C-alpha cells in the first residue's frame, strides 16, 4: 500500500517518519527546500545513575507510610511520604539535528508517496524525483535525487547541540548530548554522550564546499549517511570523545559503500517488504494508493483509511523496533525537540506496554525482542530501588524509565510518581508473548524475571484482615474525592499481582521446576485482596467505594483485568464482567478516550465486551479527533503508543481468543463485514488466515503450535475443536 500526499508537510504533524530501529528520519517531503529531522535511538542526555543517597531515611518514611496505608489512614500515609519527596527525574531522549536540502530552481510539486510495504518515501516534482529510505541491513539512510536536466542544490546539517562541521570529501557533524537539564535548559559543562553524523555523496555534480555544500549542474546525486553515538550499555558511562564515534561512523559507511546504490536499495526493500509481508489485513475493497489527508477530512471513515492505519502501525513497528534495537519510547524513535514532552522517555504505567501490544498480533515476534531486553535491564537496575528505597527483595520500577535503567520514583504528585508495580506489569507482558509463541526456550529465559518480580511482591505485600494488600497504593495518574491518590490494594495492583502469580505458576509447571517456590506463590495468590464492586455496580478503582475525581479519566487502569489481561472473560470468569462493562460505559459517557492512546485502549476493551456500537463510535473518534495528517497518534502532542494500540484493536475486531478458543468478529462493524487476513496471530499459539463475506468465512486456515484448534462458530457460537498437525497450516473451511 502507498499513501499519497499532494503537498509537502507544513509541520511535524504532517511529516513522514522513516527508520530502521536505530536511525530515525522525519521528512517534510519538501520540493524547493527539504528538512529531515535526524534521530538515533541510543542518543539520550545524561549518564547511568550513581549511588542513591539518604536511602535509610527514605526506607523509614516508606515503612511508616506502609503501616498507615494498610490501616486505611491514607492522608497520614501521604504526609509520611512527603517527608522525603523524590528530587529525581528520568533523562530525556535527544534529537541529533536536521538535514537540509535547498534547490536553486523553482519547480512544481507532483505530490509524494509513502510506500509502506518497502519503506520508501518518494517526492515527485517538475524538475526531479527524490527517494529516501533507511536501511537496516547496512544501518544507513539514503537519499537519491534524479533529474532529466541539470539542477543545483545546497546541502547542510545543523544541530540544537553545540556541534562541529567538517568536510574532507565526506561531510561530518559531531557533538555531545547535554549532561543534564536545569529547568529545561541543557547543560553541557560535563560532556554528555558523543554523536557523529557522517555523509557521503555520489554525483556527477561540480561540488563547492564551505559550511554548506553546493552541488552544481547534476542529474543524479546519492546521499548516503549514518549516525553513531557513544552509548555502550545502560550501566556504563557513554563515550564522550567525538573522534571515537566518528571513526565508528566511517567504518559503517565504508562497509555500506562497498555496495552499489542499486544493490543497497534492493537489499533494503527485500528486508523491509519481507517483514511487512508477514501479515496481511484488508477490510472491504483493497486500495493500492490512499490519499490520507482527504480520507481524514471525509465525514465518514472508509475501509481504505482503516486498512491504511493498520498498515501504518506495522510500518512503524518495522521502522522503530528491530531485534537489535532499543525498545520504542513515547515517540518511537522520532523526536525533534531538545525538551520533548514527558522527556520522550519510557512511561511504564501504560504507554510502553501499549507500544508492544501489536508485534505478536501482526506476526512480527522479532520486534518484541527490544521490549524483552528493556525488562531485563529493569529487572537488574530495579534491584537497587527495591532493596535500598523500599527494603524489599527482587526488583521494582516506578512509572518512568530511560536508557539508563532509571527505576526510582520521580518528582511530583504521588498519583503518577508512586507506582512500584510498573515493572511487574511489564513482566506479565513477557509471559503474554509466550502465550502467542508457546516457545519453552524463551519461557526458560524469562522465568528468572518472573521469579524476581514475585520476590518483590511477596516482600512488599502486607497482611491485614486475613488478606494480602499493597500499601501504599495508587491507581495511575488518578485521584479520588479530595484530590487524594494514596490508597491500599488498588484494583490495578491486585490484577497485576494475580496475573504475575498465575503466570509464574504456569511457567514453572511448563518448565517443571520450583515446586516449593510455586507453592508459596499459590498461597499468596489465594490470599490477595479481591477487588470490590461499588454500590452503583461499577468496579471499584480504589480499595474503598469512593468517588473518583475525574469521571472521564483517560486511564482505564482498574479494567486491566479485562484487557490486556484475561482475568475477566466474556464466557468464563465473568464475575466482574458486568461491573467492568458499567465502569467502561461510565468513563466513556463522561468523556474518556480523549487522547489517542486512551481511545485505543477503549477500543480494545470494547472488543472484549462485544460492544460493537461503541466500538464504531470510538473508531470514528480515533480518526476524527486523535489522528494527525501523517497518521501519527495525537495525545496531543504526538505519541506513538496510540498507533500501536489502535492497530491492535483493528485486529481484534476480526478475531480474539479467550482460553485458547478463537472467536471471530467479537464486534461487528461496517468495516469488518467483508475482508481477508493472513497470519493474524492469537494467544494459544494460533495464526489464522481467513476470507469472509457478511461476517461468514468462506475460507479459513489455522496454524497451531499445538495439536488442536478450537474456535466458536461465527454462525451459532458453538465451539468446534479439531485435532491438527502442530506447526502446519490446516484448512478448516
Amino acid at each position: 500500500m502507498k499513501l499519497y500526499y499532494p503537498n509537502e508537510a507544513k509541520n511535524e504533524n504532517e511529516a513522514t517518519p522513516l527508520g530502521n530501529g536505530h536511525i530515525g528520519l522525519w521528512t517534510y517531503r519538501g520540493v524547493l527546500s527539504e528538512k529531515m529531522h535526524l534521530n538515533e535511538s541510543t542518543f539520550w542526555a545524561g549518564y547511568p545513575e550513581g549511588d542513591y543517597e539518604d536511602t535509610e531515611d527514605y526506607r523509614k518514611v516508606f515503612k511508616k507510610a506502609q503501616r498507615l496505608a494498610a490501616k486505611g489512614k491514607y492522608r497520614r500515609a501521604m504526609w509520611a511520604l512527603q517527608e522525603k519527596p523524590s528530587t529525581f527525574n528520568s533523562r530525556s531522549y535527544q534529537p541529533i539535528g536536521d538535514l537540509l536540502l535547498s534547490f536553486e530552481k523553482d519547480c512544481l510539486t507532483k505530490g509524494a508517496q509513502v510506500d509502506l510495504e518497502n519503506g520508501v518515501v518518494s517526492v515527485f516534482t517538475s524538475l526531479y524525483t527524490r527517494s529516501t529510505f533507511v536501511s537496516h541491513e547496512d544501518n544507513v539512510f539514503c537519499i537519491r535525487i534524479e533529474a532529466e536536466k541539470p539542477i543545483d542544490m545546497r546541502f547542510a546539517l545543523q544541530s540544537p547541540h553545540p556541534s562541529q562541521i567538517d568536510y574532507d570529501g565526506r561531510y561530518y557533524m559531531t557533538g555531545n548530548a547535554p549532561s543534564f537539564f536545569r529547568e529545561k535548559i541543557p547543560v553541557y559543562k560535563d560532556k554528555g554522550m558523543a554523536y557523529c553524523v557522517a555523509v557521503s555523496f555520489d554525483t556527477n555534480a561540480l561540488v563547492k564546499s564551505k559550511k554548506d555544500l553546493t552541488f552544481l549542474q547534476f542529474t543524479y546525486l546519492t546521499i548516503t549517511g549514518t549516525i553513531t553515538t557513544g552509548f555502550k550499555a545502560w550501566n556504563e558511562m557513554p563515550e564522550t570523545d567525538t573522534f571515537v564515534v566518528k571513526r565508528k561512523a566511517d567504518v559503517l559507511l565504508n562497509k555500506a559503500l562497498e555496495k552499489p546504490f542499486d544493490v543497497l536499495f534492493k537489499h533494503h526493500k527485500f528486508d523491509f517488504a519481507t517483514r511487512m509481508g508477514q501479515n496481511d489485513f484488508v477490510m472491504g475493497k483493497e486500495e493500492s494508493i490512499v490519499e490520507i489527508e482527504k480520507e481524514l477530512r471525509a465525514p465518514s471513515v472508509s475501509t481504505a483509511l482503516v486498512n491504511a492505519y493498520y498498515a501504518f502501525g506495522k510500518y512503524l513497528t518495522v521502522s522503530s523496533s528491530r531485534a537489535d534495537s532499543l525498545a520504542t519510547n513515547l515517540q518511537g524513535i522520532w523526536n525533534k525537540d531538545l525538551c520533548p514532552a514527558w522527556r520522550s522517555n519510557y512511561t511504564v504505567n501504560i504507554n510502553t506496554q501499549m507500544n508492544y501490544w501489536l508485534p505478536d498480533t501482526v506476526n512480527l515476534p522479532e520486534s518484541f525482542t527490544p521490549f524483552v531486553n528493556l525488562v531485563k535491564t529493569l529487572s537488574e537496575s530495579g534491584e537497587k530501588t527495591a532493596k535500598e528505597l523500599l527494603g524489599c527483595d527482587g526488583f521494582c520500577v516506578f512509572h518512568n524509565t530511560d536508557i539508563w535503567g532509571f527505576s526510582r520514583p520521580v518528582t511530583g504528585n504521588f498519583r503518577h510518581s508512586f507506582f512500584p508495580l510498573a515493572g511487574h506489569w511489564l513482566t506479565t507482558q513477557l509471559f503474554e508473548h509466550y502465550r502467542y509463541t508457546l516457545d519453552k526456550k524463551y519461557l526458560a529465559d524469562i522465568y528468572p524475571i518472573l521469579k524476581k518480580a514475585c520476590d518483590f511482591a511477596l516482600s512488599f505485600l502486607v497482611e491485614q484482615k486475613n488478606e494480602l494488600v499493597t500499601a501504599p497504593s495508587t491507581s495511575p495518574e488518578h485521584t479520588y474525592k479530595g484530590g487524594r491518590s494514596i490508597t491500599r490494594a488498588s484494583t490495578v495492583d491486585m490484577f497485576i499481582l494475580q496475573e504475575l502469580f498465575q503466570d509464574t505458576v504456569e511457567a514453572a509447571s511448563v518448565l517443571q521446576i520450583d515446586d516449593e517456590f510455586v507453592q508459596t506463590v499459590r498461597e499468596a495468590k489465594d490470599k490477595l485482596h479481591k477487588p470490590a464492586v461499588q454500590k452503583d455496580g461499577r468496579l471499584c478503582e480504589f480499595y474503598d467505594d469512593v468517588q473518583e475525581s475525574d469521571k472521564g479519566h483517560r486511564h482505564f487502569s482498574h479494567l486491566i483485568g479485562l484487557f490486556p489481561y484475561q482475568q475477566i472473560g466474556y464466557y468464563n470468569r465473568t464475575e466482574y464482567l458486568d461491573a467492568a462493562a458499567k465502569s467502561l460505559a461510565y468513563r466513556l459517557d463522561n468523556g474518556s478516550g480523549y487522547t489517542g492512546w486512551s481511545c485505543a485502549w477503549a477500543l480494545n476493551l470494547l472488543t472484549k465486551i462485544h460492544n460493537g456500537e461503541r466500538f464504531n463510535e470510538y473508531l470514528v473518534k480515533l480518526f476524527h479527533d486523535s489522528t494527525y495528517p501523517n497518521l501519527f497518534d495525537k495525545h496531543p502532542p504526538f505519541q506513538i503508543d496510540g498507533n500501536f494500540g489502535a492497530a491492535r484493536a483493528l485486529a481484534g475486531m476480526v478475531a480474539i481468543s479467550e482460553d485458547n478458543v478463537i472467536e471471530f468478529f467479537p464486534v461487528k462493524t461496517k468495516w469488518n463485514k467483508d475482508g481477508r487476513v493472513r497470519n493474524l496471530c492469537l494467544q494459544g499459539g494460533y495464526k489464522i488466515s481467513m476470507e469472509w463475506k457478511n461476517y461468514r468465512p468462506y475460507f479459513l486456515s489455522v496454524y497451531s503450535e499445538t495439536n488442536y484448534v478450537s474456535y466458536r462458530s461465527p454462525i451459532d457460537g458453538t465451539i468446534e475443536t479439531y485435532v491438527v498437525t502442530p506447526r502446519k497450516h490446516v484448512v478448516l473451511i
Side-chain angles (χ1 to χ4, degrees):
M1 174 182 284
K2 293 183 175 68
L3 310 182
Y4 173 69
Y5 290 91
N7 301 305
E8 59 189 89
K10 294 187 284 292
N11 54 56
E12 67 271 20
N13 298 323
E14 297 180 4
T16 299
L18 299 104
N20 65 359
H22 304 279
I23 297 171
L25 263 66
W26 233 354
T27 171
Y28 283 61
R29 309 181 305 275
V31 176
L32 288 176
S33 62
E34 166 67 309
K35 177 190 289 185
M36 295 185 187
H37 302 309
L38 303 176
N39 288 104
E40 210 287 336
S41 64
T42 62
F43 192 58
W44 291 64
Y47 316 102
E49 282 204 285
D51 294 334
Y52 289 179
E53 298 177 356
D54 302 328
T55 56
E56 185 176 350
D57 290 344
Y58 190 93
R59 278 198 308 276
K60 289 178 181 178
V61 164
F62 165 72
K63 292 299 182 183
K64 180 181 177 181
Q66 188 175 51
R67 290 191 298 271
L68 291 166
K71 295 176 183 178
K73 299 178 180 180
Y74 306 134
R75 187 183 292 273
R76 290 178 61 188
M78 180 184 69
W79 290 341
L81 288 174
Q82 287 173 341
E83 292 175 19
K84 194 67 179 176
S86 174
T87 57
F88 298 92
N89 276 315
S90 57
R91 300 305 187 185
S92 59
Y93 180 54
Q94 289 293 289
I96 293 287
D98 301 322
L99 182 153
L100 307 172
L101 306 177
S102 179
F103 295 88
E104 297 299 316
K105 289 184 179 179
D106 288 346
C107 59
L108 302 176
T109 180
K110 293 185 178 180
Q113 289 185 354
V114 182
D115 184 344
L116 297 179
E117 299 305 316
N118 291 300
V120 182
V121 176
S122 299
V123 174
F124 305 96
T125 79
S126 57
L127 287 181
Y128 68 89
T129 61
R130 185 176 76 242
S131 297
T132 306
F133 63 91
V134 185
S135 165
H136 177 261
E137 179 177 307
D138 295 285
N139 200 26
V140 294
F141 60 86
C142 292
I143 305 167
R144 175 73 173 184
I145 302 169
E146 296 179 351
E148 290 186 7
K149 297 179 180 179
I151 58 173
D152 301 340
M153 186 199 79
R154 289 199 308 274
F155 171 93
L157 294 174
Q158 64 182 21
S159 177
H161 311 289
S163 59
Q164 174 71 36
I165 299 292
D166 297 293
Y167 178 70
D168 62 3
R170 281 184 183 170
Y171 195 98
Y172 299 95
M173 181 171 71
T174 54
N176 296 82
S179 51
F180 65 95
F181 281 78
R182 182 182 291 119
E183 296 182 355
K184 296 189 176 183
I185 304 298
V187 177
Y188 297 91
K189 182 179 179 182
D190 297 316
K191 287 184 178 179
M193 186 189 301
Y195 75 88
C196 174
V197 184
V199 183
S200 178
F201 307 93
D202 178 33
T203 182
N204 61 351
L206 173 64
V207 182
K208 291 186 177 180
S209 66
K210 291 183 180 179
K211 183 177 179 181
D212 299 348
L213 294 183
T214 302
F215 296 87
L216 301 174
Q217 296 297 289
F218 70 91
T219 56
Y220 72 87
L221 169 61
T222 303
I223 302 170
T224 306
T226 193
I227 306 173
T228 53
T229 78
F231 178 71
K232 298 176 182 177
W234 70 270
N235 54 357
E236 292 186 37
M237 287 295 289
E239 180 60 65
T240 60
D241 187 342
T242 57
F243 176 78
V244 174
V245 294
K246 182 179 179 182
R247 188 169 54 193
K248 188 164 68 169
D250 274 333
V251 170
L252 278 173
L253 207 49
N254 288 341
K255 186 176 180 181
L257 293 173
E258 290 174 0
K259 301 175 184 177
F261 170 78
D262 290 346
V263 173
L264 199 151
F265 194 18
K266 179 181 177 182
H267 286 195
H268 160 74
K269 288 191 291 185
F270 177 80
D271 167 72
F272 206 93
T274 297
R275 279 152 184 78
M276 288 292 290
Q278 289 172 199
N279 161 262
D280 289 331
F281 175 98
V282 178
M283 301 296 104
K285 181 184 176 183
E286 185 171 11
E287 303 283 351
S288 59
I289 300 179
V290 180
E291 187 174 339
I292 291 300
E293 291 171 317
K294 179 180 177 182
E295 293 290 343
L296 287 171
R297 289 194 302 267
S300 61
V301 174
S302 67
T303 54
L305 182 56
V306 169
N307 292 336
Y309 194 93
Y310 182 93
F312 189 65
K314 286 199 306 176
Y315 170 87
L316 290 177
T317 299
V318 175
S319 299
S320 64
S321 193
R322 295 293 190 106
D324 59 354
S325 71
L326 294 181
T328 49
N329 61 54
L330 281 175
Q331 296 183 187
I333 58 173
W334 298 279
N335 166 42
K336 70 177 184 65
D337 296 320
L338 201 59
C339 296
W342 304 287
R343 298 180 293 283
S344 191
N345 64 14
Y346 300 104
T347 304
V348 290
N349 62 11
I350 177 58
N351 312 94
T352 300
Q353 288 89 332
M354 189 180 289
N355 277 8
Y356 285 90
W357 284 357
L358 190 61
D360 285 322
T361 304
V362 298
N363 199 29
L364 287 168
E366 65 274 16
S367 287
F368 190 79
T369 302
F371 181 87
V372 179
N373 293 334
L374 173 65
V375 183
K376 285 181 177 179
T377 292
L378 295 174
S379 72
E380 295 181 49
S381 67
E383 286 183 1
K384 181 167 67 172
T385 297
K387 181 179 180 179
E388 297 188 17
L389 294 188
L390 305 184
C392 292
D393 301 327
F395 81 97
C396 79
V397 181
F398 287 79
H399 97 296
N400 268 181
T401 188
D402 56 24
I403 198 173
W404 310 115
F406 184 91
S407 57
R408 67 170 82 183
V410 299
T411 59
N413 194 291
F414 297 124
R415 69 175 180 266
H416 60 261
S417 66
F418 196 90
F419 185 49
L421 295 190
H424 294 63
W425 185 350
L426 296 170
T427 301
T428 60
Q429 197 159 337
L430 297 183
F431 191 80
E432 183 178 316
H433 178 68
Y434 166 75
R435 294 188 190 279
Y436 283 89
T437 66
L438 303 185
D439 181 345
K440 291 184 181 180
K441 184 178 179 182
Y442 163 80
L443 186 61
D445 183 48
I446 67 162
Y447 181 77
I449 305 175
L450 290 168
K451 187 172 181 179
K452 194 187 292 187
C454 287
D455 286 337
F456 174 83
L458 294 170
S459 60
F460 179 71
L461 286 162
V462 178
E463 186 164 357
Q464 59 112 61
K465 297 180 181 178
N466 297 317
E467 63 178 10
L468 294 174
V469 300
T470 53
S473 175
T474 62
S475 189
E477 303 188 26
H478 205 188
T479 60
Y480 54 94
K481 189 175 181 180
R484 302 181 196 179
S485 55
I486 298 296
T487 183
R488 56 183 155 169
S490 66
T491 296
V492 64
D493 278 4
M494 294 300 99
F495 277 139
I496 288 172
L497 293 183
Q498 283 279 356
E499 190 78 9
L500 173 67
F501 288 165
Q502 181 57 44
D503 290 350
T504 305
V505 169
E506 187 175 336
S509 175
V510 172
L511 298 172
Q512 297 183 330
I513 56 174
D514 255 355
D515 291 345
E516 186 176 341
F517 180 74
V518 165
Q519 183 58 33
T520 302
V521 172
R522 278 201 183 98
E523 291 171 0
K525 178 177 178 292
D526 291 341
K527 293 182 71 174
L528 285 174
H529 168 72
K530 304 295 188 296
V533 175
Q534 294 179 257
K535 294 175 184 177
D536 63 3
R538 292 184 291 128
L539 190 62
C540 281
E541 183 170 0
F542 301 91
Y543 181 87
D544 306 282
D545 186 350
V546 293
Q547 179 64 55
E548 64 267 59
S549 298
D550 182 358
K551 296 179 181 179
H553 192 60
R554 60 195 175 279
H555 284 253
F556 302 99
S557 304
H558 57 316
L559 302 183
I560 189 178
L562 180 63
F563 186 89
Y565 298 157
Q566 292 194 19
Q567 293 176 42
I568 303 171
Y570 191 77
Y571 299 99
N572 302 304
R573 300 175 306 284
T574 59
E575 175 188 358
Y576 291 121
L577 180 60
D578 287 345
K582 287 179 181 177
S583 295
L584 178 59
Y586 181 88
R587 192 146 285 183
L588 296 180
D589 288 345
N590 283 283
S592 188
Y594 57 86
T595 70
W597 62 262
S598 178
C599 188
W601 197 353
L603 287 167
N604 283 285
L605 289 163
L606 291 165
T607 300
K608 291 296 294 291
I609 64 172
H610 296 56
N611 191 331
E613 182 179 350
R614 294 216 87 162
F615 186 96
N616 276 281
E617 175 188 350
Y618 273 80
L619 190 58
V620 172
K621 180 178 177 65
L622 174 80
F623 290 120
H624 287 174
D625 298 340
S626 297
T627 303
Y628 285 117
N630 59 2
L631 282 185
F632 263 150
D633 167 71
K634 181 192 298 184
H635 181 83
F638 150 58
Q639 277 186 201
I640 206 167
D641 39 25
N643 285 104
F644 298 129
R648 169 65 180 79
L650 295 179
M653 74 177 179
V654 174
I656 59 176
S657 68
E658 180 180 316
D659 298 332
N660 299 334
V661 177
I662 301 168
E663 180 177 13
F664 302 111
F665 315 117
V667 291
K668 291 182 169 64
T669 74
K670 68 176 184 178
W671 303 288
N672 67 341
K673 184 177 181 181
D674 308 316
R676 63 177 175 84
V677 294
R678 183 176 60 83
N679 287 340
L680 188 68
C681 301
L682 302 170
Q683 292 187 30
Y686 296 129
K687 297 179 185 179
I688 67 169
S689 298
M690 181 172 66
E691 298 177 27
W692 69 93
K693 195 168 186 64
N694 199 25
Y695 310 115
R696 291 202 173 190
Y698 57 85
F699 171 79
L700 174 63
S701 171
V702 182
Y703 168 102
S704 176
E705 289 287 340
T706 68
N707 63 354
Y708 73 90
V709 173
S710 292
Y711 68 85
R712 292 184 182 276
S713 168
I715 299 174
D716 59 17
T718 57
I719 296 177
E720 301 181 17
T721 301
Y722 297 86
V723 177
V724 299
T725 303
R727 301 180 184 88
K728 299 285 185 181
H729 290 272
V730 179
V731 177
L732 301 178
I733 297 177

